[in-house]
Amino acid sequence: MTPDTSTRDCPCGSGMTYDLCCQRWHLGAMAPTPEALMRSRFSAFALADRAYLLATWHPDTRPAELNLADSPEWVSLQVLSANANAGQGQVHFRAVYRAGHGWGYLEERSGFVKVDDRWFYLEGETTEGVLKPGRNDLCPCGSGRKYKTCCL
């Protein structure tokens, strides 16, 4: 049975609950902007929604298979910039994940394309790194609390 996530904070970090944010896109409504689509895709990764990820990936670049079994625990998202113009868009973001007892991040400049009024993820240029938060830094999990009182 799938846990009820509707009244929890949305994984995308919008500050809204899931039912008022990304859930509508996951249920089939069209995301209105590349940023909304990217946020909903981050939430889909966090919730292991493989079907949504494949459905929102442009057919020209979509993989034949998508295995999420070995995915890290995605914990927070920061959108660094987003734009759209004439059916093309780009979103630059940093996604933080927990892997074992450590933290890492994936930073990507994602390309999006609009086809028949629907945005699709096309491809991205990614870099990854290790996060080493200090005791008094904000916790990478996105809670807003200091690391030493949250996840340390």
Side-chain angles (χ1 to χ4, degrees):
M1 185 168 127
T2 304
D4 179 20
T5 56
S6 62
T7 58
R8 285 199 226 153
D9 288 343
C10 192
C12 81
S14 67
M16 294 187 286
T17 57
Y18 175 67
D19 62 334
L20 296 176
C21 192
C22 291
Q23 185 180 41
R24 59 188 147 174
W25 317 134
H26 293 169
L27 293 176
M30 292 187 296
T33 65
E35 181 177 349
L37 180 60
M38 191 282 310
R39 284 182 174 280
S40 70
R41 286 177 55 82
F42 175 85
S43 291
F45 272 107
L47 299 171
D49 187 345
R50 180 184 163 278
Y52 181 78
L53 292 165
L54 290 172
T56 58
W57 209 316
H58 193 276
D60 290 349
T61 57
R62 178 176 42 220
E65 295 290 324
L66 183 61
N67 182 359
L68 300 176
D70 296 326
S71 291
E73 178 188 353
W74 297 100
V75 296
S76 67
L77 174 69
Q78 178 184 16
V79 174
L80 304 172
S81 67
N83 62 64
N85 190 5
Q88 295 192 359
Q90 186 179 60
V91 179
H92 181 199
F93 68 90
R94 179 179 268 205
V96 175
Y97 59 86
R98 188 186 323 238
H101 296 293
W103 297 92
Y105 69 87
L106 175 122
E107 192 166 321
E108 180 171 309
R109 292 180 188 277
S110 300
F112 295 84
V113 64
K114 196 171 194 179
V115 178
D116 296 329
D117 289 331
R118 184 174 216 109
W119 286 103
F120 288 92
Y121 171 76
L122 194 56
E123 59 190 351
E125 297 173 17
T126 63
T127 58
E128 286 194 63
V130 175
L131 286 179
K132 295 186 180 184
R135 292 176 50 79
N136 290 315
D137 291 341
L138 288 178
C139 190
C141 77
S143 69
R145 297 184 306 183
K146 288 186 178 183
Y147 181 53
K148 68 183 177 186
T149 61
C150 191
C151 292
L152 180 62

